Amino acid sequence: MNGVTMEVGAVAAMRFVKDGIRAAKLVMQHTKHTLLVGEKASAFAISMGLPGPSNLSSSDSISKWSKWKENNCQPNFWKDVVPLDSCGPYHAKASMDVKEGGCSTRNLMGIAEPRSSLVGPHNHDTISMAVIDKMGHVAVGTSTNGATYKIPGRVGDGPIAGSSAYADTDVGACGATGDGDVMMRFLPCYQVVESMRLGMEPMLAAKDAISRIARKFPDFVGAVVAVNKNGVHAGACHGWTFEYSVRSPVTVDVKVFTVLP
């Protein structure tokens, strides 16, 4: 996302092309669209000169997949379904707590059902970065392989503007990581930037965005990093201890900051 022009480029569910972040930038630079997905996103990236189609499987990913299959494809992200066999195909349960008249009885109080998150520091690979150049221009980018054991076709919060990243040169930027299926429902990075626009310091803006999610989903795992246009930064998290790094012209090396939940 270009914080000067507010242009966004994104790709999702893109296979056979390794460099998703470069493909996203090409969408922003060479199309009037915001988001390309699936097979056509791969074809676009290759047509624009990125290497592919390539086999992106590694020995580690194949081993993890094999062990998962042996464990009857557990854990996974399905709910309220029954499998035809141990790994599907899956079908909705015949009875879904529906009363006479066809109205569901679940979540009538507006409280989300407990969610056992499959996202953690050891199965998560999102990278979100915010940059302020010498002219004060702000940009952000996010790259992720997605959630381990996801259902095919799933799109996470990485390519969703305002969720995993957001930038406005007049204000600052935000990057996020964690359980994207929950976080994208709240657009936390958009919330962070808008809070800073209203005068909130990065620390309070980050904590406020995370607390909005935690009130509805107390079991979720996630974090945001906020930075204003002057380079003041802070992070907030829930469900894990989070670290982020900062490099600036006045530092000799990268400095790592630890954020406690």
Side-chain angles (χ1 to χ4, degrees), residues 88-130:
Y90 297 88
H91 302 281
K93 291 181 179 178
S95 175
M96 296 278 287
D97 299 327
V98 176
K99 287 184 174 181
E100 185 178 353
C103 293
S104 175
T105 61
R106 66 178 70 223
N107 296 333
L108 294 181
M109 300 303 293
I111 301 173
E113 60 190 70
R115 178 184 176 90
S116 178
S117 179
L118 298 175
V119 177
H122 303 297
N123 65 353
H124 198 242
D125 62 358
T126 300
I127 297 173
S128 190
M129 182 179 292

Side-chain angles (χ1 to χ4, degrees), residues 10-260:
V11 292
M14 185 180 70
R15 304 179 68 188
F16 309 121
V17 177
K18 183 177 182 179
D19 201 337
I21 197 73
R22 286 184 64 195
K25 188 176 181 181
L26 289 168
V27 172
M28 183 175 67
Q29 290 177 321
H30 299 292
T31 82
K32 295 182 180 180
H33 297 310
T34 293
L35 173 63
L36 300 181
V37 302
E39 176 187 345
K40 296 303 182 181
S42 302
F44 166 82
I46 294 169
S47 74
M48 296 302 293
L50 296 187
S54 303
N55 181 358
L56 304 182
S57 297
S58 67
S59 57
D60 286 342
S61 67
I62 293 173
S63 175
K64 180 180 289 188
W65 178 80
S66 297
K67 291 177 181 178
W68 179 71
K69 292 280 285 186
E70 293 170 2
N71 195 41
N72 297 322
C73 300
Q74 297 295 324
N76 61 43
F77 285 88
W78 291 95
K79 67 177 184 180
D80 296 327
V81 297
V82 290
L84 186 62
D85 57 40
S86 62
C87 286
Y90 297 88
H91 302 281
K93 291 181 179 178
S95 175
M96 296 278 287
D97 299 327
V98 176
K99 287 184 174 181
E100 185 178 353
C103 293
S104 175
T105 61
R106 66 178 70 223
N107 296 333
L108 294 181
M109 300 303 293
I111 301 173
E113 60 190 70
R115 178 184 176 90
S116 178
S117 179
L118 298 175
V119 177
H122 303 297
N123 65 353
H124 198 242
D125 62 358
T126 300
I127 297 173
S128 190
M129 182 179 292
V131 178
I132 305 174
D133 70 10
K134 293 180 180 179
M135 300 296 292
H137 301 154
V138 181
V140 291
T142 298
S143 181
T144 179
N145 191 48
T148 305
Y149 313 127
K150 59 183 175 286
I151 296 171
R154 180 259 189 186
V155 173
D157 70 326
I160 307 303
S163 188
S164 69
Y166 198 76
D168 187 333
T169 290
D170 294 336
V171 181
C174 168
T177 183
D179 189 340
D181 289 293
V182 170
M183 297 182 78
M184 76 169 80
R185 302 168 190 177
F186 295 83
L187 297 180
C189 277
Y190 178 78
Q191 181 64 56
V192 164
V193 172
E194 290 307 300
S195 293
M196 292 193 297
R197 190 190 308 278
L198 296 175
M200 199 176 286
E201 291 297 317
M203 175 66 76
L204 292 178
K207 288 183 175 180
D208 175 68
I210 288 294
S211 68
R212 291 168 184 257
I213 307 172
R215 281 195 293 269
K216 286 287 187 179
F217 294 91
D219 297 325
F220 104 99
V221 174
V224 298
V225 175
V227 56
N228 67 21
K229 63 182 181 180
N230 299 316
V232 179
H233 58 85
C237 63
H238 184 86
W240 59 2
T241 297
F242 174 69
E243 292 184 336
Y244 70 95
S245 59
V246 176
R247 178 70 183 270
S248 73
V250 298
T251 59
V252 176
D253 205 348
V254 172
K255 186 173 182 180
V256 178
F257 293 83
T258 300
V259 182
L260 300 177

